[in-house]
Amino acid sequence: MRVEWFENPDNVVYADVNEFADNFGKETGISDLRGKIENFRADPAREGVILRGIKRSALKLFVPDMVFDRHIEMGETVWVYIGETYPAYCLYWPQSEKETKAEEQSK
């Protein structure tokens, strides 16, 4: 994996985890992909983690800022890497209504 590849916007798709996880889990045959992403987000490993699906597929969850020597845009969040022939998915978690209300009340 090369940092320059991840910095190229043509190679990155920004995806809402709520829309991404269930659909992509079905496509790859990885059961409870959302749960596995959440577990990795809570306790990320520098080397990332490889998940294997039942449909002869595999993907790597990783946090770019833990892997590369420099920061990239949204590099502090979880990314999904399948290989350089596919786009990388930068996952983001939109704020829930609860979080938004709590944030507004604290102002």
Side-chain angles (χ1 to χ4, degrees), residues 4-71:
E4 295 81 11
W5 188 86
F6 292 97
E7 292 176 322
N8 181 340
D10 293 336
N11 297 329
V12 179
V13 173
Y14 296 91
D16 178 333
V17 72
N18 297 317
E19 297 171 8
F20 174 83
D22 290 336
N23 292 333
F24 206 74
K26 288 176 189 170
E27 287 181 29
T28 57
I30 299 173
S31 62
D32 191 27
L33 179 58
R34 173 64 185 259
K36 291 173 180 162
I37 292 170
E38 292 290 351
N39 289 339
F40 181 77
R41 180 182 184 208
D43 187 25
R46 180 172 174 22
E47 64 278 357
V49 65
I50 295 176
L51 303 178
R52 297 190 190 322
I54 59 172
K55 298 181 178 181
R56 295 180 56 166
S57 57
L59 57 87
K60 181 175 188 166
L61 299 177
F62 76 106
V63 177
D65 285 358
M66 293 177 75
V67 174
F68 303 120
D69 292 334
R70 65 180 188 244
H71 172 73

Side-chain angles (χ1 to χ4, degrees), residues 72-86:
I72 65 171
E73 182 178 349
M74 291 191 65
E76 67 281 353
T77 190
V78 177
W79 288 47
V80 176
Y81 179 71
I82 306 164
E84 289 191 6
T85 57
Y86 297 93

